[in-house]
Amino acid sequence: MEKTLAIIKPDGVKKNIIGEIISRFEKNGLMVSAIKKITLSKEEAKDFYIVHEERPFYESLSDFMSEGPIVVVVLEGENAITKTRKIIGATNPADADPSTIRRDFAESIERNIVHGSDSPESAAFEISYFFSEMEIRH
Ligand code: CDP
Ligand code: MG
């Protein structure tokens, strides 16, 4: 079974749709393997998104990701990485397919509700960024 990291971003937490988002993953056959609500400092948000450090949106994205609590979730299932990103939808909600989380709830390309790892390598980095071995060994 594959594991991936999803994040309900500060906009999703503020909209009070944590349950709705988790439910969409569960209804598509993914299981919650580990979960917690935390608040990142700006430096921690920058570290998490270090792959985007050269992009013009890096500072603004890091401000957004540290503006309030987030929920970090390890999801487990068959093809969990691809499946999670399909349920989330395209980065820009205007381009996202109908019934995806971003199409239904996101306000803009930046404030797009949820994150999902994009490869096995990023999933491994991102899960270990937030969870210890003890928290995910089941
Ligand atoms: O999250 P996803 O993998 O779909 O997109 P990304 O290209 O890895 O970008 C990471 C995050 O940066 C996005 O989810 C957006 O919140 C933000 N972003 C942005 O603010 N403006 C862009 N032009 C692209 C991404
Ligand atoms: Mg990405």
Side-chain angles (χ1 to χ4, degrees), residues 21-98:
I21 292 168
I22 301 293
S23 178
R24 288 185 182 210
F25 293 133
E26 290 180 337
K27 282 179 181 144
N28 283 280
L30 295 163
M31 293 191 75
V32 173
S33 185
I35 185 165
K36 59 189 171 189
K37 187 178 189 179
I38 57 172
T39 302
L40 296 178
S41 67
K42 179 160 182 191
E43 283 312 306
E44 289 162 345
K46 288 176 83 168
D47 280 349
F48 176 76
Y49 274 121
I50 193 73
V51 291
H52 293 311
E53 110 185 281
E54 303 301 329
R55 309 286 287 277
F57 56 81
Y58 183 58
E59 282 294 322
S60 175
L61 172 62
S62 303
D63 282 330
F64 163 49
M65 289 300 288
S66 58
E67 75 176 30
I70 61 173
V71 173
V72 287
V73 190
V74 178
L75 295 169
E76 188 171 357
E78 223 168 281
N79 300 315
I81 296 170
T82 306
K83 195 180 267 186
T84 296
R85 284 181 66 87
K86 202 165 175 330
I87 297 163
I88 289 173
T91 310
N92 187 343
D95 301 330
D97 288 340

Side-chain angles (χ1 to χ4, degrees), residues 9 49 52 55 57 61 64 85 89-91 102 109-112 114-116 118:
K9 297 183 179 185
Y49 274 121
H52 293 311
R55 309 286 287 277
F57 56 81
L61 172 62
F64 163 49
R85 284 181 66 87
T91 310
R102 284 170 171 169
I109 192 167
E110 178 175 88
R111 302 180 73 85
N112 62 4
V114 60
H115 165 87
D118 67 3

